[in-house]
Amino acid sequence: MKLKQGFIWLLLMLSLSGCHSLPVIDTLPVLKQTLSLQVTDADGSNSLLLIEPLTEQQWRFVQVDSLGAPVSRQILQRGRWHNDGFLPPNPQARQLFTAVYAYLGHRHHWSIPAKLKEVRISSHTDADGAVADISWHKRHWQVREMAND
């Protein structure tokens, strides 16, 4: 019985620790078009991230792996993340999406929540476009903006 209670307590603590790290993004700037980003994780794996404006205060984030298989689909609406579709919740993807929002805020001079000031961004432009190294909560990504033709 104690083992079962300990397991339930552990699950509760893990679920609560994942919730506190993401700040509320109250206001979304207007996106005029879908943004396409190539994301490289610290382990070298690549994915494509699309950020699509749905309404003035609603964006869809869709991440697919290098083979085109969906990794995560989330909607950011009124400061909260919601699953989009039948993919299971993906806290790592939400962390990436939030960090990318901070990068975009930095790049486009948007107002971002104070907690996102912790996101470390080093960016430069090369022949292929804007590139950023983003670090937050012991995670690291390289993000490259892709042309939307």
Side-chain angles (χ1 to χ4, degrees):
M1 187 66 161
K2 286 197 182 253
L3 182 61
K4 184 177 180 181
Q5 288 175 336
F7 182 71
I8 291 172
W9 179 252
L10 178 64
L11 285 177
L12 179 63
M13 293 306 292
L14 288 174
S15 67
L16 289 176
S17 68
C19 296
H20 75 81
S21 63
L22 296 180
V24 174
I25 301 170
D26 290 326
T27 305
L28 293 174
V30 175
L31 283 181
K32 293 180 176 45
Q33 64 183 12
T34 299
L35 301 177
S36 302
L37 306 169
Q38 178 186 352
V39 178
T40 304
D41 288 335
D43 67 1
S45 62
N46 289 311
S47 62
L48 178 65
L49 174 59
L50 302 173
I51 305 171
E52 175 186 20
L54 298 177
T55 66
E56 284 188 18
Q57 287 301 308
Q58 188 179 44
W59 293 359
R60 175 183 289 133
F61 289 71
V62 178
Q63 183 182 17
V64 296
D65 67 15
S66 57
L67 298 175
V71 174
S72 182
R73 289 176 42 158
Q74 303 285 320
I75 292 179
L76 179 58
Q77 178 181 20
R78 294 187 187 98
R80 301 282 181 225
W81 292 101
H82 307 279
N83 280 343
D84 180 29
F86 296 106
L87 293 174
N90 187 332
Q92 293 84 12
R94 285 184 182 175
Q95 185 179 4
L96 165 65
F97 300 163
T98 304
V100 165
Y101 176 83
Y103 159 68
L104 293 172
H106 171 78
R107 182 154 168 76
H108 299 286
H109 308 290
W110 300 335
S111 175
I112 61 171
K115 191 170 183 181
L116 285 182
K117 306 252 188 240
E118 301 169 3
V119 176
R120 298 290 165 237
I121 301 165
S122 171
S123 58
H124 65 279
T125 304
D126 64 12
D128 295 325
V131 179
D133 290 307
I134 303 172
S135 298
W136 191 40
H137 291 287
K138 300 180 182 177
R139 306 248 352 252
H140 179 81
W141 309 271
Q142 184 178 69
V143 175
R144 176 180 299 277
E145 293 185 42
M146 302 177 69
N148 291 323
D149 297 330

